[in-house]
Amino acid sequence: MGETMPLPSHIIWDWNGTLLADTALTVECAQAALAAIGRPCSISLDQWRSVATRPILTSYEVFAKGPIGASDWTVLGRRWMELYLANLDGVSLNDQAVAAL
């Protein structure tokens, strides 16, 4: 009794919407990235959550309705990152993450 928990030495950032409320941004970037390779589609948050897996290429191939070649994957990845970084400053921490931290 009276024991205190040690403070964490670091936090592992998981980038999936658990801490950072970026899921909507992730979906917007995915749609734009797929359009950039000629595979436009509409993805809802629920669809993203039900399909997203690792490796992430597998998820994109589901939404693209077929395989994505190496050169298209490069274009898709660049476009996704470009949009994500350009819009990241508008994303905050999840309310529950703030309370937990």
Side-chain angles (χ1 to χ4, degrees):
M1 190 168 180
E3 239 177 85
T4 59
M5 297 285 294
L7 293 175
S9 60
H10 63 280
I11 295 174
I12 298 171
W13 200 269
D14 61 358
W15 296 100
N16 70 358
T18 303
L19 295 175
L20 190 64
D22 67 344
T23 307
L25 176 58
T26 295
V27 171
E28 290 173 26
C29 294
Q31 292 177 119
L34 284 163
I37 63 165
R39 309 263 192 106
C41 67
S42 179
I43 305 169
S44 72
L45 287 175
D46 286 339
Q47 288 172 316
W48 180 261
R49 288 181 178 122
S50 70
V51 171
T53 189
R54 297 292 185 262
I56 197 67
L57 173 60
T58 302
S59 305
Y60 278 89
E61 289 180 333
V62 168
F63 292 118
K65 296 183 178 13
I68 297 174
S71 61
D72 278 346
W73 184 240
T74 299
V75 170
L76 185 150
R78 284 185 185 144
R79 183 66 180 142
W80 189 94
M81 187 59 70
E82 190 179 273
L83 292 169
Y84 187 84
L85 293 176
N87 293 284
L88 188 58
D89 61 349
V91 175
S92 62
L93 290 176
N94 282 322
D95 291 339
Q96 293 175 345
V98 172
L101 293 173

